[in-house]
Amino acid sequence: HVQLVESGGGSVQAGGSLRLSCAASGYTYSSYRMGWFRQAPGKEREGVAAIDSDGNSTYADSVEGRFTISEDNAKNTMFLQMNSLNSADAAMYFCAAGRHRINAEHALDVQTYNFWGQGTQVTVS
C-alpha cells in the first residue's frame, strides 16, 4: 500500500526558511517520479518541484533559485528546502508520486501523479 507522509510545515516570517520532508513507503521508491505541489484556499493545486527516477529536477518559475528538491533514496525520503519565503508561498504542501512514464514537460502537472500525501501547512507572515 502506497503511503506518503509529509512533515516540516509551520509558520515563518517572510524571508525565513523551512524544510519539508516526505516519507514514502509501500512501493519501490526509486522507480517513481516524485514531486511537491501546493494549494492555497480558493486556488488550484500547482506544481512546485519534481524529481524523476534519474535524479533530474524541475522547478516552477516562481520558486526557481529559492527552493531545492532532494531525496535520500536509501531512506525513501524526499525533501523540499524552501528559502526566502514570501506570502505567495503560503499554502498546503503535498508530496506526490507518479508511476507512469511522462514527457518532462509534464513533470509539474497534477494529473500525471497517482499517489498523494495528506499535506503539511506552510504559513508566512
Side-chain angles (χ1 to χ4, degrees):
H1 303 285
V2 175
Q3 185 174 15
L4 304 173
V5 180
E6 304 96 332
S7 62
S11 180
V12 298
Q13 294 289 318
S17 298
L18 284 173
R19 191 190 194 205
L20 307 183
S21 298
C22 174
S25 62
Y27 69 101
T28 303
Y29 178 87
S30 61
S31 66
Y32 281 66
R33 295 176 288 107
M34 299 293 293
W36 286 100
F37 296 78
R38 66 189 183 188
Q39 187 168 24
K43 298 185 181 297
E44 295 183 347
R45 189 169 299 187
E46 63 176 349
V48 176
I51 187 165
D52 67 18
S53 59
D54 295 318
N56 301 305
S57 300
T58 302
Y59 296 94
D61 290 342
S62 60
V63 307
E64 181 74 48
R66 298 188 298 120
F67 291 12
T68 303
I69 189 170
S70 62
E71 59 187 351
D72 184 339
N73 289 311
K75 297 181 179 180
N76 294 342
T77 304
M78 178 179 63
F79 307 96
L80 184 68
Q81 178 66 46
M82 305 186 294
N83 298 327
S84 301
L85 288 163
N86 57 62
S87 59
D89 298 314
M92 183 74 76
Y93 282 72
F94 301 88
C95 68
R99 60 182 173 86
H100 300 111
R101 294 177 181 270
I102 60 165
N103 190 289
E105 66 187 88
H106 300 299
L108 297 179
D109 289 353
V110 168
Q111 299 302 320
T112 70
Y113 289 81
N114 309 102
F115 307 102
W116 297 84
Q118 83 289 349
T120 185
Q121 184 69 48
V122 172
T123 301
V124 182
S125 60

